[in-house]
Amino acid sequence: MGYVDGYLLAVPKQSKQDYLNHAKVAAEVFKDHGAISVTECWGDDVPPGKLTSFPLAVKASEDEVVVFSWITWPSKDVRQAGMAKAMEDTRLHPDNCPMPFDGQRVVFGGFEVMMQA
């Protein structure tokens, strides 16, 4: 059924366009290396929590917005190979595609698709 890489991160509000530029380059790289699609979502209704929440998960500050993203792959094997190639792709190196967010506060994981409706 496919495989998904999911991401949650905090981006400074004033860096929305910088993030979108970064995301467009990254999407091209991932798709060139086997991804089916890349989706980027800018937080619009993301309430803070007391015990758990998206903002707490990434330690978002008042001047940051939570971004929720995912990459779909045809299979885990394609993802493994594609991600390795993407990480070596010079288009994603910081000199070519600076990250407008704190990479240490990114929450990520790989997921096997078990249902899609």
Side-chain angles (χ1 to χ4, degrees), residues 10-32:
V11 177
K13 291 176 183 177
Q14 74 273 11
S15 298
K16 184 176 184 179
Q17 189 58 52
D18 292 337
Y19 181 80
L20 185 57
N21 294 343
H22 172 85
K24 287 178 181 179
V25 172
E28 182 179 309
V29 170
F30 292 127
K31 289 179 80 176
D32 284 352

mmCIF file with all atom_site columns, all heavy atoms in Angstrom, residues 10-32:
data_model
loop_
_atom_site.group_PDB
_atom_site.id
_atom_site.type_symbol
_atom_site.label_atom_id
_atom_site.label_alt_id
_atom_site.label_comp_id
_atom_site.label_asym_id
_atom_site.label_entity_id
_atom_site.label_seq_id
_atom_site.pdbx_PDB_ins_code
_atom_site.Cartn_x
_atom_site.Cartn_y
_atom_site.Cartn_z
_atom_site.occupancy
_atom_site.B_iso_or_equiv
_atom_site.pdbx_formal_charge
_atom_site.auth_seq_id
_atom_site.auth_comp_id
_atom_site.auth_asym_id
_atom_site.auth_atom_id
_atom_site.pdbx_PDB_model_num
ATOM 1   N N   . ALA A 1 10 ? 8.799  23.426 13.562  1.00 0.00 ? 10 ALA A N   1
ATOM 2   C CA  . ALA A 1 10 ? 8.418  24.807 13.840  1.00 0.00 ? 10 ALA A CA  1
ATOM 3   C C   . ALA A 1 10 ? 9.231  25.725 12.940  1.00 0.00 ? 10 ALA A C   1
ATOM 4   O O   . ALA A 1 10 ? 10.454 25.584 12.838  1.00 0.00 ? 10 ALA A O   1
ATOM 5   C CB  . ALA A 1 10 ? 8.679  25.141 15.300  1.00 0.00 ? 10 ALA A CB  1
ATOM 6   N N   . VAL A 1 11 ? 8.533  26.671 12.294  1.00 0.00 ? 11 VAL A N   1
ATOM 7   C CA  . VAL A 1 11 ? 9.177  27.607 11.371  1.00 0.00 ? 11 VAL A CA  1
ATOM 8   C C   . VAL A 1 11 ? 8.850  29.033 11.819  1.00 0.00 ? 11 VAL A C   1
ATOM 9   O O   . VAL A 1 11 ? 7.683  29.326 12.116  1.00 0.00 ? 11 VAL A O   1
ATOM 10  C CB  . VAL A 1 11 ? 8.675  27.389 9.922   1.00 0.00 ? 11 VAL A CB  1
ATOM 11  C CG1 . VAL A 1 11 ? 9.287  28.402 8.971   1.00 0.00 ? 11 VAL A CG1 1
ATOM 12  C CG2 . VAL A 1 11 ? 8.974  25.968 9.461   1.00 0.00 ? 11 VAL A CG2 1
ATOM 13  N N   . PRO A 1 12 ? 9.834  29.924 11.878  1.00 0.00 ? 12 PRO A N   1
ATOM 14  C CA  . PRO A 1 12 ? 9.526  31.315 12.214  1.00 0.00 ? 12 PRO A CA  1
ATOM 15  C C   . PRO A 1 12 ? 8.467  31.884 11.254  1.00 0.00 ? 12 PRO A C   1
ATOM 16  O O   . PRO A 1 12 ? 8.538  31.663 10.041  1.00 0.00 ? 12 PRO A O   1
ATOM 17  C CB  . PRO A 1 12 ? 10.866 32.036 12.040  1.00 0.00 ? 12 PRO A CB  1
ATOM 18  C CG  . PRO A 1 12 ? 11.892 30.963 12.262  1.00 0.00 ? 12 PRO A CG  1
ATOM 19  C CD  . PRO A 1 12 ? 11.277 29.715 11.666  1.00 0.00 ? 12 PRO A CD  1
ATOM 20  N N   . LYS A 1 13 ? 7.499  32.592 11.823  1.00 0.00 ? 13 LYS A N   1
ATOM 21  C CA  . LYS A 1 13 ? 6.403  33.138 11.021  1.00 0.00 ? 13 LYS A CA  1
ATOM 22  C C   . LYS A 1 13 ? 6.907  33.961 9.845   1.00 0.00 ? 13 LYS A C   1
ATOM 23  O O   . LYS A 1 13 ? 6.360  33.884 8.751   1.00 0.00 ? 13 LYS A O   1
ATOM 24  C CB  . LYS A 1 13 ? 5.478  33.998 11.889  1.00 0.00 ? 13 LYS A CB  1
ATOM 25  C CG  . LYS A 1 13 ? 4.681  33.213 12.893  1.00 0.00 ? 13 LYS A CG  1
ATOM 26  C CD  . LYS A 1 13 ? 3.855  34.123 13.791  1.00 0.00 ? 13 LYS A CD  1
ATOM 27  C CE  . LYS A 1 13 ? 3.113  33.305 14.829  1.00 0.00 ? 13 LYS A CE  1
ATOM 28  N NZ  . LYS A 1 13 ? 2.359  34.150 15.766  1.00 0.00 ? 13 LYS A NZ  1
ATOM 29  N N   . GLN A 1 14 ? 7.955  34.756 10.073  1.00 0.00 ? 14 GLN A N   1
ATOM 30  C CA  . GLN A 1 14 ? 8.469  35.619 9.012   1.00 0.00 ? 14 GLN A CA  1
ATOM 31  C C   . GLN A 1 14 ? 9.233  34.845 7.940   1.00 0.00 ? 14 GLN A C   1
ATOM 32  O O   . GLN A 1 14 ? 9.597  35.412 6.917   1.00 0.00 ? 14 GLN A O   1
ATOM 33  C CB  . GLN A 1 14 ? 9.344  36.742 9.589   1.00 0.00 ? 14 GLN A CB  1
ATOM 34  C CG  . GLN A 1 14 ? 10.712 36.293 10.074  1.00 0.00 ? 14 GLN A CG  1
ATOM 35  C CD  . GLN A 1 14 ? 10.725 35.815 11.506  1.00 0.00 ? 14 GLN A CD  1
ATOM 36  O OE1 . GLN A 1 14 ? 9.691  35.605 12.131  1.00 0.00 ? 14 GLN A OE1 1
ATOM 37  N NE2 . GLN A 1 14 ? 11.917 35.607 12.059  1.00 0.00 ? 14 GLN A NE2 1
ATOM 38  N N   . SER A 1 15 ? 9.436  33.539 8.137   1.00 0.00 ? 15 SER A N   1
ATOM 39  C CA  . SER A 1 15 ? 10.204 32.724 7.180   1.00 0.00 ? 15 SER A CA  1
ATOM 40  C C   . SER A 1 15 ? 9.327  31.831 6.312   1.00 0.00 ? 15 SER A C   1
ATOM 41  O O   . SER A 1 15 ? 9.823  30.869 5.717   1.00 0.00 ? 15 SER A O   1
ATOM 42  C CB  . SER A 1 15 ? 11.224 31.873 7.933   1.00 0.00 ? 15 SER A CB  1
ATOM 43  O OG  . SER A 1 15 ? 12.146 32.684 8.617   1.00 0.00 ? 15 SER A OG  1
ATOM 44  N N   . LYS A 1 16 ? 8.046  32.142 6.217   1.00 0.00 ? 16 LYS A N   1
ATOM 45  C CA  . LYS A 1 16 ? 7.138  31.287 5.454   1.00 0.00 ? 16 LYS A CA  1
ATOM 46  C C   . LYS A 1 16 ? 7.610  31.123 4.000   1.00 0.00 ? 16 LYS A C   1
ATOM 47  O O   . LYS A 1 16 ? 7.674  30.000 3.494   1.00 0.00 ? 16 LYS A O   1
ATOM 48  C CB  . LYS A 1 16 ? 5.715  31.844 5.490   1.00 0.00 ? 16 LYS A CB  1
ATOM 49  C CG  . LYS A 1 16 ? 4.705  30.940 4.795   1.00 0.00 ? 16 LYS A CG  1
ATOM 50  C CD  . LYS A 1 16 ? 3.285  31.479 4.937   1.00 0.00 ? 16 LYS A CD  1
ATOM 51  C CE  . LYS A 1 16 ? 2.264  30.529 4.334   1.00 0.00 ? 16 LYS A CE  1
ATOM 52  N NZ  . LYS A 1 16 ? 0.882  31.041 4.500   1.00 0.00 ? 16 LYS A NZ  1
ATOM 53  N N   . GLN A 1 17 ? 7.942  32.207 3.326   1.00 0.00 ? 17 GLN A N   1
ATOM 54  C CA  . GLN A 1 17 ? 8.366  32.109 1.927   1.00 0.00 ? 17 GLN A CA  1
ATOM 55  C C   . GLN A 1 17 ? 9.703  31.374 1.820   1.00 0.00 ? 17 GLN A C   1
ATOM 56  O O   . GLN A 1 17 ? 9.900  30.568 0.908   1.00 0.00 ? 17 GLN A O   1
ATOM 57  C CB  . GLN A 1 17 ? 8.458  33.480 1.264   1.00 0.00 ? 17 GLN A CB  1
ATOM 58  C CG  . GLN A 1 17 ? 8.694  33.408 -0.235  1.00 0.00 ? 17 GLN A CG  1
ATOM 59  C CD  . GLN A 1 17 ? 7.615  32.632 -0.978  1.00 0.00 ? 17 GLN A CD  1
ATOM 60  O OE1 . GLN A 1 17 ? 6.425  32.900 -0.835  1.00 0.00 ? 17 GLN A OE1 1
ATOM 61  N NE2 . GLN A 1 17 ? 8.013  31.648 -1.771  1.00 0.00 ? 17 GLN A NE2 1
ATOM 62  N N   . ASP A 1 18 ? 10.619 31.621 2.745   1.00 0.00 ? 18 ASP A N   1
ATOM 63  C CA  . ASP A 1 18 ? 11.899 30.902 2.749   1.00 0.00 ? 18 ASP A CA  1
ATOM 64  C C   . ASP A 1 18 ? 11.667 29.402 2.908   1.00 0.00 ? 18 ASP A C   1
ATOM 65  O O   . ASP A 1 18 ? 12.311 28.588 2.249   1.00 0.00 ? 18 ASP A O   1
ATOM 66  C CB  . ASP A 1 18 ? 12.815 31.395 3.872   1.00 0.00 ? 18 ASP A CB  1
ATOM 67  C CG  . ASP A 1 18 ? 13.295 32.813 3.664   1.00 0.00 ? 18 ASP A CG  1
ATOM 68  O OD1 . ASP A 1 18 ? 13.311 33.281 2.510   1.00 0.00 ? 18 ASP A OD1 1
ATOM 69  O OD2 . ASP A 1 18 ? 13.648 33.459 4.669   1.00 0.00 ? 18 ASP A OD2 1
ATOM 70  N N   . TYR A 1 19 ? 10.738 29.052 3.802   1.00 0.00 ? 19 TYR A N   1
ATOM 71  C CA  . TYR A 1 19 ? 10.426 27.638 4.002   1.00 0.00 ? 19 TYR A CA  1
ATOM 72  C C   . TYR A 1 19 ? 9.822  27.043 2.733   1.00 0.00 ? 19 TYR A C   1
ATOM 73  O O   . TYR A 1 19 ? 10.195 25.945 2.311   1.00 0.00 ? 19 TYR A O   1
ATOM 74  C CB  . TYR A 1 19 ? 9.473  27.421 5.191   1.00 0.00 ? 19 TYR A CB  1
ATOM 75  C CG  . TYR A 1 19 ? 9.199  25.948 5.367   1.00 0.00 ? 19 TYR A CG  1
ATOM 76  C CD1 . TYR A 1 19 ? 10.121 25.133 6.004   1.00 0.00 ? 19 TYR A CD1 1
ATOM 77  C CD2 . TYR A 1 19 ? 8.060  25.364 4.825   1.00 0.00 ? 19 TYR A CD2 1
ATOM 78  C CE1 . TYR A 1 19 ? 9.912  23.768 6.125   1.00 0.00 ? 19 TYR A CE1 1
ATOM 79  C CE2 . TYR A 1 19 ? 7.836  23.999 4.949   1.00 0.00 ? 19 TYR A CE2 1
ATOM 80  C CZ  . TYR A 1 19 ? 8.768  23.208 5.591   1.00 0.00 ? 19 TYR A CZ  1
ATOM 81  O OH  . TYR A 1 19 ? 8.555  21.857 5.683   1.00 0.00 ? 19 TYR A OH  1
ATOM 82  N N   . LEU A 1 20 ? 8.897  27.768 2.118   1.00 0.00 ? 20 LEU A N   1
ATOM 83  C CA  . LEU A 1 20 ? 8.266  27.269 0.893   1.00 0.00 ? 20 LEU A CA  1
ATOM 84  C C   . LEU A 1 20 ? 9.302  27.073 -0.206  1.00 0.00 ? 20 LEU A C   1
ATOM 85  O O   . LEU A 1 20 ? 9.280  26.066 -0.917  1.00 0.00 ? 20 LEU A O   1
ATOM 86  C CB  . LEU A 1 20 ? 7.162  28.224 0.433   1.00 0.00 ? 20 LEU A CB  1
ATOM 87  C CG  . LEU A 1 20 ? 6.346  27.776 -0.771  1.00 0.00 ? 20 LEU A CG  1
ATOM 88  C CD1 . LEU A 1 20 ? 5.681  26.421 -0.540  1.00 0.00 ? 20 LEU A CD1 1
ATOM 89  C CD2 . LEU A 1 20 ? 5.294  28.832 -1.104  1.00 0.00 ? 20 LEU A CD2 1
ATOM 90  N N   . ASN A 1 21 ? 10.238 27.988 -0.333  1.00 0.00 ? 21 ASN A N   1
ATOM 91  C CA  . ASN A 1 21 ? 11.315 27.834 -1.327  1.00 0.00 ? 21 ASN A CA  1
ATOM 92  C C   . ASN A 1 21 ? 12.135 26.582 -1.036  1.00 0.00 ? 21 ASN A C   1
ATOM 93  O O   . ASN A 1 21 ? 12.448 25.811 -1.951  1.00 0.00 ? 21 ASN A O   1
ATOM 94  C CB  . ASN A 1 21 ? 12.217 29.068 -1.324  1.00 0.00 ? 21 ASN A CB  1
ATOM 95  C CG  . ASN A 1 21 ? 11.514 30.319 -1.797  1.00 0.00 ? 21 ASN A CG  1
ATOM 96  O OD1 . ASN A 1 21 ? 10.457 30.274 -2.433  1.00 0.00 ? 21 ASN A OD1 1
ATOM 97  N ND2 . ASN A 1 21 ? 12.076 31.463 -1.454  1.00 0.00 ? 21 ASN A ND2 1
ATOM 98  N N   . HIS A 1 22 ? 12.484 26.384 0.240   1.00 0.00 ? 22 HIS A N   1
ATOM 99  C CA  . HIS A 1 22 ? 13.234 25.186 0.646   1.00 0.00 ? 22 HIS A CA  1
ATOM 100 C C   . HIS A 1 22 ? 12.430 23.924 0.332   1.00 0.00 ? 22 HIS A C   1
ATOM 101 O O   . HIS A 1 22 ? 12.953 22.947 -0.212  1.00 0.00 ? 22 HIS A O   1
ATOM 102 C CB  . HIS A 1 22 ? 13.545 25.270 2.142   1.00 0.00 ? 22 HIS A CB  1
ATOM 103 C CG  . HIS A 1 22 ? 14.147 24.031 2.701   1.00 0.00 ? 22 HIS A CG  1
ATOM 104 N ND1 . HIS A 1 22 ? 15.489 23.769 2.644   1.00 0.00 ? 22 HIS A ND1 1
ATOM 105 C CD2 . HIS A 1 22 ? 13.579 22.967 3.322   1.00 0.00 ? 22 HIS A CD2 1
ATOM 106 C CE1 . HIS A 1 22 ? 15.727 22.592 3.207   1.00 0.00 ? 22 HIS A CE1 1
ATOM 107 N NE2 . HIS A 1 22 ? 14.590 22.092 3.630   1.00 0.00 ? 22 HIS A NE2 1
ATOM 108 N N   . ALA A 1 23 ? 11.143 23.949 0.663   1.00 0.00 ? 23 ALA A N   1
ATOM 109 C CA  . ALA A 1 23 ? 10.277 22.784 0.464   1.00 0.00 ? 23 ALA A CA  1
ATOM 110 C C   . ALA A 1 23 ? 10.136 22.425 -1.013  1.00 0.00 ? 23 ALA A C   1
ATOM 111 O O   . ALA A 1 23 ? 10.076 21.247 -1.360  1.00 0.00 ? 23 ALA A O   1
ATOM 112 C CB  . ALA A 1 23 ? 8.906  23.042 1.083   1.00 0.00 ? 23 ALA A CB  1
ATOM 113 N N   . LYS A 1 24 ? 10.074 23.428 -1.874  1.00 0.00 ? 24 LYS A N   1
ATOM 114 C CA  . LYS A 1 24 ? 9.959  23.161 -3.315  1.00 0.00 ? 24 LYS A CA  1
ATOM 115 C C   . LYS A 1 24 ? 11.201 22.452 -3.841  1.00 0.00 ? 24 LYS A C   1
ATOM 116 O O   . LYS A 1 24 ? 11.099 21.515 -4.643  1.00 0.00 ? 24 LYS A O   1
ATOM 117 C CB  . LYS A 1 24 ? 9.713  24.461 -4.076  1.00 0.00 ? 24 LYS A CB  1
ATOM 118 C CG  . LYS A 1 24 ? 8.310  24.994 -3.893  1.00 0.00 ? 24 LYS A CG  1
ATOM 119 C CD  . LYS A 1 24 ? 8.119  26.310 -4.632  1.00 0.00 ? 24 LYS A CD  1
ATOM 120 C CE  . LYS A 1 24 ? 6.711  26.853 -4.428  1.00 0.00 ? 24 LYS A CE  1
ATOM 121 N NZ  . LYS A 1 24 ? 6.513  28.129 -5.123  1.00 0.00 ? 24 LYS A NZ  1
ATOM 122 N N   . VAL A 1 25 ? 12.367 22.880 -3.404  1.00 0.00 ? 25 VAL A N   1
ATOM 123 C CA  . VAL A 1 25 ? 13.608 22.213 -3.820  1.00 0.00 ? 25 VAL A CA  1
ATOM 124 C C   . VAL A 1 25 ? 13.628 20.782 -3.278  1.00 0.00 ? 25 VAL A C   1
ATOM 125 O O   . VAL A 1 25 ? 13.916 19.827 -4.014  1.00 0.00 ? 25 VAL A O   1
ATOM 126 C CB  . VAL A 1 25 ? 14.850 22.994 -3.338  1.00 0.00 ? 25 VAL A CB  1
ATOM 127 C CG1 . VAL A 1 25 ? 16.132 22.199 -3.586  1.00 0.00 ? 25 VAL A CG1 1
ATOM 128 C CG2 . VAL A 1 25 ? 14.931 24.353 -4.019  1.00 0.00 ? 25 VAL A CG2 1
ATOM 129 N N   . ALA A 1 26 ? 13.305 20.625 -1.998  1.00 0.00 ? 26 ALA A N   1
ATOM 130 C CA  . ALA A 1 26 ? 13.308 19.293 -1.387  1.00 0.00 ? 26 ALA A CA  1
ATOM 131 C C   . ALA A 1 26 ? 12.320 18.365 -2.085  1.00 0.00 ? 26 ALA A C   1
ATOM 132 O O   . ALA A 1 26 ? 12.639 17.198 -2.349  1.00 0.00 ? 26 ALA A O   1
ATOM 133 C CB  . ALA A 1 26 ? 12.991 19.400 0.106   1.00 0.00 ? 26 ALA A CB  1
ATOM 134 N N   . ALA A 1 27 ? 11.144 18.874 -2.412  1.00 0.00 ? 27 ALA A N   1
ATOM 135 C CA  . ALA A 1 27 ? 10.137 18.047 -3.094  1.00 0.00 ? 27 ALA A CA  1
ATOM 136 C C   . ALA A 1 27 ? 10.659 17.560 -4.442  1.00 0.00 ? 27 ALA A C   1
ATOM 137 O O   . ALA A 1 27 ? 10.480 16.390 -4.802  1.00 0.00 ? 27 ALA A O   1
ATOM 138 C CB  . ALA A 1 27 ? 8.841  18.835 -3.274  1.00 0.00 ? 27 ALA A CB  1
ATOM 139 N N   . GLU A 1 28 ? 11.305 18.438 -5.171  1.00 0.00 ? 28 GLU A N   1
ATOM 140 C CA  . GLU A 1 28 ? 11.866 18.046 -6.471  1.00 0.00 ? 28 GLU A CA  1
ATOM 141 C C   . GLU A 1 28 ? 12.904 16.943 -6.288  1.00 0.00 ? 28 GLU A C   1
ATOM 142 O O   . GLU A 1 28 ? 12.920 15.954 -7.029  1.00 0.00 ? 28 GLU A O   1
ATOM 143 C CB  . GLU A 1 28 ? 12.501 19.267 -7.136  1.00 0.00 ? 28 GLU A CB  1
ATOM 144 C CG  . GLU A 1 28 ? 13.078 18.985 -8.502  1.00 0.00 ? 28 GLU A CG  1
ATOM 145 C CD  . GLU A 1 28 ? 13.676 20.236 -9.136  1.00 0.00 ? 28 GLU A CD  1
ATOM 146 O OE1 . GLU A 1 28 ? 12.989 21.263 -9.189  1.00 0.00 ? 28 GLU A OE1 1
ATOM 147 O OE2 . GLU A 1 28 ? 14.848 20.157 -9.568  1.00 0.00 ? 28 GLU A OE2 1
ATOM 148 N N   . VAL A 1 29 ? 13.760 17.094 -5.282  1.00 0.00 ? 29 VAL A N   1
ATOM 149 C CA  . VAL A 1 29 ? 14.798 16.094 -5.017  1.00 0.00 ? 29 VAL A CA  1
ATOM 150 C C   . VAL A 1 29 ? 14.165 14.752 -4.643  1.00 0.00 ? 29 VAL A C   1
ATOM 151 O O   . VAL A 1 29 ? 14.510 13.708 -5.208  1.00 0.00 ? 29 VAL A O   1
ATOM 152 C CB  . VAL A 1 29 ? 15.755 16.574 -3.905  1.00 0.00 ? 29 VAL A CB  1
ATOM 153 C CG1 . VAL A 1 29 ? 16.677 15.448 -3.443  1.00 0.00 ? 29 VAL A CG1 1
ATOM 154 C CG2 . VAL A 1 29 ? 16.569 17.772 -4.390  1.00 0.00 ? 29 VAL A CG2 1
ATOM 155 N N   . PHE A 1 30 ? 13.211 14.764 -3.695  1.00 0.00 ? 30 PHE A N   1
ATOM 156 C CA  . PHE A 1 30 ? 12.584 13.506 -3.282  1.00 0.00 ? 30 PHE A CA  1
ATOM 157 C C   . PHE A 1 30 ? 11.860 12.832 -4.441  1.00 0.00 ? 30 PHE A C   1
ATOM 158 O O   . PHE A 1 30 ? 11.949 11.618 -4.613  1.00 0.00 ? 30 PHE A O   1
ATOM 159 C CB  . PHE A 1 30 ? 11.639 13.730 -2.104  1.00 0.00 ? 30 PHE A CB  1
ATOM 160 C CG  . PHE A 1 30 ? 12.350 14.098 -0.831  1.00 0.00 ? 30 PHE A CG  1
ATOM 161 C CD1 . PHE A 1 30 ? 11.991 15.233 -0.119  1.00 0.00 ? 30 PHE A CD1 1
ATOM 162 C CD2 . PHE A 1 30 ? 13.381 13.310 -0.338  1.00 0.00 ? 30 PHE A CD2 1
ATOM 163 C CE1 . PHE A 1 30 ? 12.649 15.565 1.055   1.00 0.00 ? 30 PHE A CE1 1
ATOM 164 C CE2 . PHE A 1 30 ? 14.048 13.642 0.831   1.00 0.00 ? 30 PHE A CE2 1
ATOM 165 C CZ  . PHE A 1 30 ? 13.675 14.779 1.531   1.00 0.00 ? 30 PHE A CZ  1
ATOM 166 N N   . LYS A 1 31 ? 11.167 13.607 -5.248  1.00 0.00 ? 31 LYS A N   1
ATOM 167 C CA  . LYS A 1 31 ? 10.448 13.020 -6.387  1.00 0.00 ? 31 LYS A CA  1
ATOM 168 C C   . LYS A 1 31 ? 11.427 12.485 -7.427  1.00 0.00 ? 31 LYS A C   1
ATOM 169 O O   . LYS A 1 31 ? 11.176 11.450 -8.032  1.00 0.00 ? 31 LYS A O   1
ATOM 170 C CB  . LYS A 1 31 ? 9.479  14.040 -6.972  1.00 0.00 ? 31 LYS A CB  1
ATOM 171 C CG  . LYS A 1 31 ? 8.289  14.278 -6.025  1.00 0.00 ? 31 LYS A CG  1
ATOM 172 C CD  . LYS A 1 31 ? 7.320  15.294 -6.553  1.00 0.00 ? 31 LYS A CD  1
ATOM 173 C CE  . LYS A 1 31 ? 6.434  14.633 -7.575  1.00 0.00 ? 31 LYS A CE  1
ATOM 174 N NZ  . LYS A 1 31 ? 5.395  15.546 -8.081  1.00 0.00 ? 31 LYS A NZ  1
ATOM 175 N N   . ASP A 1 32 ? 12.548 13.172 -7.613  1.00 0.00 ? 32 ASP A N   1
ATOM 176 C CA  . ASP A 1 32 ? 13.572 12.663 -8.541  1.00 0.00 ? 32 ASP A CA  1
ATOM 177 C C   . ASP A 1 32 ? 14.144 11.334 -8.072  1.00 0.00 ? 32 ASP A C   1
ATOM 178 O O   . ASP A 1 32 ? 14.679 10.567 -8.868  1.00 0.00 ? 32 ASP A O   1
ATOM 179 C CB  . ASP A 1 32 ? 14.715 13.676 -8.696  1.00 0.00 ? 32 ASP A CB  1
ATOM 180 C CG  . ASP A 1 32 ? 14.357 14.859 -9.570  1.00 0.00 ? 32 ASP A CG  1
ATOM 181 O OD1 . ASP A 1 32 ? 13.276 14.850 -10.205 1.00 0.00 ? 32 ASP A OD1 1
ATOM 182 O OD2 . ASP A 1 32 ? 15.160 15.816 -9.613  1.00 0.00 ? 32 ASP A OD2 1
#
